[in-house]
Amino acid sequence: MLSLSYVIKGILIGAACVLPGISGAALALSMGIYETILGAVSHIFQTPKKSLKTLAPFLVGCLIALTGFTYAAEYLLSTYPYPFAMTVGGFLFGGVPFLWQAQKASPHQAKQRKSGAALFLFFFFLTLFFSAIQPPMHVGKALPLQAGTLLITFCLGLLYSITMIVPGVSGSLLLMMFGYYYSLIETAKQLFDGIRTLETARILPAALILLPFFAGLFLGGYCLSSCITWLFETHRFFTYSAVLGIIASSLFTIFHHMGIFALLPTLNAMQLLCGVLLFLGGSILSFQLGEKSE
């Protein structure tokens, strides 16, 4: 029998996976289930029955959240892009102190700080570059069913799997940085709409596009669960330096991909103020979550 509390926690993690700015791994840490999930994934082939029994309620909850929040995310992105972007930006900004303190507390020598700074700058400008070359994305453009698309979604799944393991990093934000968040949301919506109306012509293309993504997600999660644990245990300082570099450039990527820079001149003072308040609210909530996760 599925544990209702675990299903609810799975729903919260699933929502965090869909909505940008929220780290599913940090949320799992705050609820005390991070190591349980990580251990089940890393031992799924050694003890499949036990691992699947552990993961089942979380997977059910995540599926419920993915179905519901896919539509919610599209609505928020298309109807309230500025408030949504400011809230997401607040969640992102509020998680920085947690990551910064985690990096400072990581064992390292004084001579390693320059290398850490270089790693920070490398990932900062690399992420900024990939974001800048992508035009602003908009809701309503599903991915086309092509061979190149299948390879891209598989690689995105591998990338996303890292964020499922590294606390403080939002997978949706990374997808947004590379310009595929909105397209994947629309593709998922196309799949759910096809299932709801029993239209095979809509189900099949969307399922074929999303299948490599989840294959990459599973493969990456399995392979990286032990690898990331080892990386944090043996190279914690440098790992957090790279993570901070990615996060530091994320505010630009969020506003760029949501088209906020072009939208700002059209907003009045009250709208701008509401955005600032949402940013502060998201920052406070994210900061408190980071404190609990620590």
Side-chain angles (χ1 to χ4, degrees):
M1 185 176 179
L2 296 178
S3 168
L4 180 60
S5 64
Y6 279 5
V7 171
I8 293 174
K9 290 177 180 179
I11 292 174
L12 293 174
I13 293 174
C17 292
V18 175
L19 298 176
I22 309 175
S23 167
L27 197 58
L29 271 170
S30 71
M31 295 186 294
I33 56 177
Y34 178 75
E35 292 185 11
T36 300
I37 296 175
L38 196 63
V41 171
S42 61
H43 293 91
I44 195 166
F45 289 115
Q46 290 86 347
T47 54
K49 187 176 180 180
K50 181 181 178 181
S51 295
L52 289 174
K53 185 178 179 180
T54 301
L55 292 172
F58 299 116
L59 292 174
V60 170
C62 283
L63 183 61
I64 294 172
L66 289 173
T67 305
F69 280 91
T70 295
Y71 292 91
E74 184 194 25
Y75 174 76
L76 291 170
L77 290 166
S78 59
T79 311
Y80 303 105
Y82 173 68
F84 186 58
M86 292 298 287
T87 305
V88 170
F91 268 104
L92 173 71
F93 185 78
V96 170
F98 165 68
L99 292 172
W100 176 256
Q101 289 299 325
Q103 187 216 31
K104 287 177 62 178
S106 302
H108 65 280
Q109 299 176 358
K111 63 181 181 181
Q112 293 178 311
R113 292 174 185 171
K114 290 184 178 179
S115 299
L119 201 61
F120 169 88
L121 291 173
F122 173 78
F123 278 94
F124 175 85
F125 286 110
L126 180 67
T127 305
L128 210 60
F129 170 75
F130 278 113
S131 173
I133 63 176
Q134 291 283 350
M137 302 294 290
H138 302 283
V139 178
K141 296 181 180 179
L143 291 168
L145 182 57
Q146 300 172 352
T149 302
L150 301 182
L151 178 60
I152 289 172
T153 54
F154 177 76
C155 293
L156 290 173
L158 289 174
L159 178 68
Y160 197 94
S161 68
I162 300 174
T163 70
M164 297 293 292
I165 297 171
V166 180
V169 183
S170 167
S172 298
L173 274 178
L174 285 186
L175 294 179
M176 189 176 290
M177 291 175 196
F178 288 96
Y180 286 96
Y181 174 76
Y182 299 136
S183 297
L184 283 171
I185 284 289
E186 181 60 26
T187 304
K189 181 175 175 292
Q190 180 178 305
L191 174 64
F192 295 142
D193 286 343
I195 293 174
R196 180 170 52 85
T197 58
L198 299 178
E199 295 181 58
T200 308
R202 302 183 72 180
I203 295 174
L204 190 58
L208 289 175
I209 291 171
L210 293 175
L211 186 61
F213 177 83
F214 286 103
L217 180 62
F218 174 78
L219 179 63
Y222 173 72
C223 295
L224 291 173
S225 56
S226 299
C227 178
I228 294 296
T229 301
W230 172 83
L231 202 59
F232 271 97
E233 289 177 350
T234 57
H235 302 286
R236 192 176 187 86
F237 177 75
F238 294 118
T239 303
Y240 270 113
S241 296
V243 169
L244 279 168
I246 294 172
I247 296 300
S249 62
S250 296
L251 275 178
F252 170 82
T253 62
I254 292 171
F255 293 150
H256 172 64
H257 288 303
M258 289 190 182
I260 301 303
F261 292 121
L263 188 63
L264 283 176
T266 67
L267 302 175
N268 58 42
M270 184 59 67
Q271 289 172 319
L272 290 172
L273 178 60
C274 288
V276 172
L277 293 176
L278 287 171
F279 183 92
L280 292 174
S283 298
I284 293 170
L285 184 59
S286 180
F287 179 72
Q288 290 178 339
L289 179 61
E291 285 189 317
K292 291 178 183 178
S293 300
E294 191 174 13

